[in-house]
Amino acid sequence: MSTKIIRDPLYNYIGINLNRDGWLLDVLNSPEIQRLRRIHQLGVSFLTYPGADHNRLAHSLGVLHLMTQAMEHLEAIYQDAEVRRAREPLLAAALVHDVGHGPFSHVFESCLGVDHEEWSMRIIGSHGTTLNRALRGCESSLPATVAALVDPKNRDHPAWQKFLLSSQLDIDRLDYLRRDSLFTGAGYGHFDWYRLLNTFEIHDDEASGRDIVWAEKSVLAIEEYIFSRYYMYQNVYLHKTTRGFERMLEAMWRRARRLRDEGRDVGLVPAIRDFWDAGNPEVRQYLAIEEFTVLQQIQNWTAHDDQPLSDLARRFLERKRFAMVESPIFANSLAPDYEGWQAALAELVGSRVEYSPSDMYCLRDELKGKYNQPYFPETQGDQQSVKNVIRVEFEGEARPIEVSKRRPRLKPLTEAPRDQYRYYLPKELQAWAKKLRAEWT
Amino acid sequence: MTRYQLAKIVDWAGTFQSRKRMQKLIFLLQAKGCPLDVDYDLHHYGPYSHDVALLTDQMVGAKLLTETKEALPYGEQYSYALTEGARRQTQEYEAAPRGSGPAEEMARFQALARELYQHDLKELEIASTIVFFRKQGLDWDAAVEKTRQFKNLPEDASFLNRCKALATKIVA
């Protein structure tokens, strides 16, 4: 048997069986997938954690590696045609699921006004891409099948396959939690991934179809996984420094866009100018925007004659961060006056002539509870899709049970976290802002 | 969707029974133009919003809503009502200058919300699924047929027609 070996810091060896899965090399070697080498997996987290320089390609290979193991696990249990047929689409989807990410991953989506999942589907489906040709080389319908798997709104594809790729305990998360932990050095994000990967089954339900469930012996590993997510959210994904630089990047691009809309020359580099000029950008125009393009653009702006734009560009490149102030605790929790509070902060910032306009120096960060919840269980009354929750086959039960119903330790993590608002402003104003906050609380 | 908006919708019902009903009613209000800004996906039981589910739970956690769980033959049913504190805060907000605009905006949908609340839950589910497909660009017949197939419904013309009639009241 011939195997392509790729070294990886998480798994040591990632092997691609060339006899069976050799077509994946064409997918891997396509320029669209290779571009992922140049996209930071964790956006601008490297400004907080210097080691967080790992890229989307390494993560995609990790997902492919785990999906290969997951499919081998299923093929050993089930000898049915649906599982066999699912292998190629799932391996392809594992490798290409992030192909639509732009510079700095999620953070730059708002700067360009794009959605990476939509671009993933366009890139996969576009006949002009090498990736599309590579997928068609394996099976002519593969691009459409993979796009359906990647599409979060698609409900036509078998739910158990969608679960493996995107759910609250999917193969994507099994890789990135541990990979992000390793590269940030944060020390969290460890769990018994091997057990999770080797103890799930396909459950046939007459009413709701086929679904992924875990054996009872895995509940501790599931608990550990959910706690890992919680710690990674608190320590890495929602880190106040990272979030501050994300908002700074957005403010800078918002400023450039506004100036450009007003007819000012903002010295756009060709790739970004082409993308913004195109009403409906083509795939090649999107793919031409790389992190080095964006960094070059920011570097150019450091010399721009618009003071706020050049100031924020310098602050970003020199890592001169804004300071963070939490929102006050409002007496009226039903209708908190965030607008009034932000206006008061903006007035404080606007009192300093060098921080004008104040909306460039008083940045709001909205931490929606839904992005801060490590696990959202099914509430029976919601009758939401049961496909997305983690279910376990407990002994003596006729049907699988949602895991938190039997594990009280998980209860605190399943409660709805409140929405939080943070405000970023120049450091020398932080003490004044804190005083103001005390008056508002 | 704001806490105030959800509080109003709950309060119009007095005690709002069933999270599923809440999901569908809010979906239909939004489709009619109520500015709730909620994301919906299609789930097995029709349009479903994680935002609505989470906001409800957040407001229970903040002691703005009371939650009552009732065991029924087919499962559990959750009911919600405003707490006294939430009622007082609602009144304070509506009396304040910043609250008058949102109050007027929501008041325009009060009659529709009350009417929808009286509908059979299954009709709300099917009508909202039809609206969901209609908003995806299907014409009425295609939206109804896709809903029928999606929900595996028998070709009961009278039931589907009732649901379609409700859906057409919401969107053109």
Side-chain angles (χ1 to χ4, degrees):
Chain A
M1 184 180 76
S2 165
T3 304
K4 170 73 180 171
I5 297 292
I6 299 162
R7 292 305 288 257
D8 180 82
L10 262 191
Y11 310 112
N12 194 6
Y13 285 121
I14 290 177
I16 298 176
N17 179 332
L18 294 179
N19 295 330
R20 196 174 183 195
D21 304 320
W23 59 277
L24 280 169
L25 286 189
D26 291 335
V27 177
L28 173 61
N29 290 329
S30 67
E32 294 82 12
I33 296 296
Q34 289 298 311
R35 170 179 168 274
L36 297 176
R37 287 183 191 275
R38 302 185 292 276
I39 294 177
H40 276 89
Q41 168 74 10
L42 277 183
V44 297
S45 286
F46 62 88
L47 291 168
T48 305
Y49 295 101
D53 267 328
H54 54 308
N55 61 60
R56 287 265 156 198
L57 181 74
H59 161 65
S60 300
L61 282 166
V63 179
L64 170 65
H65 177 64
L66 295 183
M67 190 65 87
T68 306
Q69 290 187 35
M71 291 312 293
E72 282 168 6
H73 164 70
L74 286 179
E75 284 173 317
I77 305 174
Y78 306 99
Q79 278 79 45
D80 73 73
E82 188 184 347
V83 171
R84 273 200 310 279
R85 277 199 305 271
R87 180 186 170 87
E88 286 175 351
L90 280 171
L91 295 191
L95 183 56
V96 311
H97 73 285
D98 275 346
V99 72
H101 268 292
F104 302 116
S105 295
H106 298 279
V107 60
F108 209 68
E109 292 186 24
S110 59
C111 298
L112 285 182
V114 300
D115 177 295
H116 80 272
E117 279 162 341
E118 281 176 19
W119 278 103
S120 286
M121 289 184 283
R122 280 187 66 179
I123 294 165
I124 293 164
S126 168
H127 276 238
T129 62
T130 310
L131 168 61
N132 178 279
R133 277 198 298 280
L135 292 171
R136 275 187 283 134
C138 173
E139 161 68 52
S140 61
S141 61
L142 197 52
T145 314
V146 172
L149 272 169
V150 171
D151 180 0
K153 293 194 185 309
N154 180 287
R155 289 282 178 272
D156 300 330
H157 213 83
W160 69 270
Q161 296 177 30
K162 301 275 287 192
F163 188 102
L164 285 179
L165 197 67
S166 179
S167 65
Q168 296 199 78
L169 205 178
D170 59 28
I171 305 292
D172 190 20
R173 286 168 171 78
L174 288 189
D175 181 83
Y176 77 62
L177 284 172
R178 296 180 58 244
R179 189 172 297 276
D180 296 343
S181 171
L182 176 68
F183 281 91
T184 55
Y188 303 97
H190 305 293
F191 53 90
D192 193 350
W193 63 278
Y194 195 80
R195 177 174 279 267
L196 293 176
L197 201 58
N198 287 281
T199 53
F200 72 88
E201 297 166 14
I202 297 176
H203 173 76
D204 278 303
D205 189 302
E206 277 183 24
S208 59
R210 301 186 108 183
D211 200 3
I212 297 291
V213 299
W214 269 264
E216 183 171 358
K217 62 187 174 189
S218 293
V219 287
L220 285 176
I222 292 170
E223 270 190 16
E224 197 183 18
Y225 159 81
I226 293 172
F227 274 92
S228 295
R229 283 195 76 189
Y230 172 72
Y231 291 129
M232 285 298 283
Y233 270 89
Q234 297 304 311
N235 288 284
V236 177
Y237 304 131
L238 303 178
H239 195 284
K240 66 177 181 180
T241 303
T242 307
R243 299 282 294 190
F245 279 113
E246 289 175 3
R247 300 296 79 78
M248 185 186 285
L249 193 65
E250 285 170 359
M252 186 195 318
W253 284 76
R254 205 167 50 240
R255 178 76 180 171
R257 191 84 200 216
R258 190 190 305 166
L259 292 174
R260 187 169 177 271
D261 290 346
E262 290 168 359
R264 295 271 302 272
D265 179 5
V266 286
L268 291 180
V269 298
I272 294 166
R273 187 191 58 221
D274 289 350
F275 187 82
W276 274 356
D277 279 349
N280 183 18
E282 295 171 17
V283 165
R284 63 171 177 82
Q285 289 172 312
Y286 179 67
L287 292 173
I289 301 176
E290 300 250 12
E291 281 190 5
F292 57 77
T293 323
V294 169
L295 289 172
Q296 179 64 63
Q297 183 65 73
I298 296 172
Q299 177 69 43
N300 291 355
W301 283 338
T302 61
H304 198 274
D305 59 6
D306 182 74
Q307 193 273 336
L309 183 63
S310 60
D311 184 39
L312 289 200
R314 272 194 299 277
R315 282 174 185 266
F316 184 81
L317 292 180
E318 295 169 11
R319 198 187 175 277
K320 288 189 175 148
R321 63 195 171 94
F322 283 167
M324 190 271 284
V325 182
E326 302 262 12
S327 68
I329 298 163
F330 294 99
N332 189 327
S333 62
L334 185 112
D337 188 9
Y338 290 114
E339 292 79 12
W341 160 245
Q342 187 156 5
L345 265 187
E347 195 180 331
L348 171 69
V349 172
S351 68
R352 299 283 289 267
V353 69
E354 66 271 36
Y355 299 136
S356 175
S358 60
D359 66 340
M360 294 288 286
Y361 292 94
C362 178
L363 309 176
R364 182 167 103 147
D365 182 40
E366 192 174 331
L367 286 175
K368 282 285 197 187
K370 67 175 170 181
Y371 300 124
N372 185 17
Q373 191 171 22
Y375 177 57
F376 186 69
E378 173 195 2
T379 301
Q380 197 171 354
D382 280 345
Q383 298 193 331
Q384 68 158 327
S385 166
V386 295
K387 308 297 182 190
N388 194 29
V389 298
I390 305 171
R391 298 199 298 160
V392 175
E393 289 185 310
F394 288 100
E395 205 177 316
E397 294 287 351
R399 301 184 65 178
I401 307 286
E402 188 280 306
V403 66
S404 71
K405 288 193 169 61
R406 289 297 182 83
R407 305 300 293 182
R409 255 191 301 276
L410 287 175
K411 181 126 180 51
L413 296 192
T414 62
E415 285 169 0
R418 64 187 175 89
D419 297 340
Q420 283 177 272
Y421 297 91
R422 293 164 169 172
Y423 298 83
Y424 290 88
L425 67 177
K427 205 164 185 174
E428 61 268 34
L429 296 176
Q430 187 183 32
W432 291 100
K434 282 187 172 173
K435 249 187 203 172
L436 189 64
R437 181 179 184 273
E439 290 166 17
W440 270 72
T441 295
Chain B
M1 187 177 196
T2 64
R3 289 179 168 191
Y4 169 74
Q5 288 172 323
L6 183 58
K8 292 303 288 184
I9 291 168
V10 168
D11 200 32
W12 289 334
T15 297
F16 200 114
Q17 290 185 332
S18 160
R19 287 172 73 102
K20 185 176 165 189
R21 181 183 297 277
M22 188 182 289
Q23 288 279 344
K24 310 313 169 202
L25 188 142
I26 289 171
F27 175 79
L28 292 171
L29 281 182
Q30 179 167 275
K32 187 67 179 173
C34 189
L36 301 173
D37 192 23
V38 177
D39 287 334
Y40 270 89
D41 286 329
L42 187 62
H43 282 228
H44 183 64
Y45 294 96
Y48 171 81
S49 170
H50 180 70
D51 295 342
V52 171
L54 188 63
L55 183 60
T56 309
D57 293 342
Q58 284 175 331
M59 288 179 67
V60 172
K63 297 187 170 34
L64 295 167
L65 294 178
T66 58
E67 181 181 74
T68 314
K69 190 163 72 173
E70 186 184 359
L72 296 175
Y74 53 82
E76 294 164 341
Q77 178 173 277
Y78 292 76
S79 300
Y80 297 90
L82 248 60
T83 62
E84 276 313 306
R87 195 176 306 284
R88 179 179 45 77
Q89 290 183 37
T90 303
Q91 287 163 358
E92 284 171 8
Y93 178 60
E94 290 177 341
R98 71 187 182 93
S100 61
E104 280 174 25
E105 204 167 43
M106 284 303 288
R108 290 195 290 120
F109 294 92
Q110 180 175 354
L112 176 62
R114 285 198 159 138
E115 184 192 330
L116 290 173
Y117 189 78
Q118 299 305 321
H119 270 275
D120 174 70
L121 182 54
K122 190 74 182 169
E123 281 182 22
L124 283 180
E125 178 189 331
I126 302 303
S128 57
T129 307
I130 294 172
V131 170
F132 186 90
F133 287 131
R134 175 79 180 129
K135 288 175 86 70
Q136 283 190 329
L138 299 185
D139 64 33
W140 279 110
D141 288 344
V144 171
E145 178 55 22
K146 186 152 184 181
T147 301
R148 195 187 66 75
Q149 288 175 10
F150 178 75
K151 295 298 301 175
N152 201 18
L153 296 170
E155 291 188 36
D156 174 357
S158 64
F159 174 70
L160 275 171
N161 283 340
R162 278 203 309 278
C163 298
K164 183 184 170 188
L166 176 56
T168 52
K169 279 185 72 170
I170 301 298
V171 291

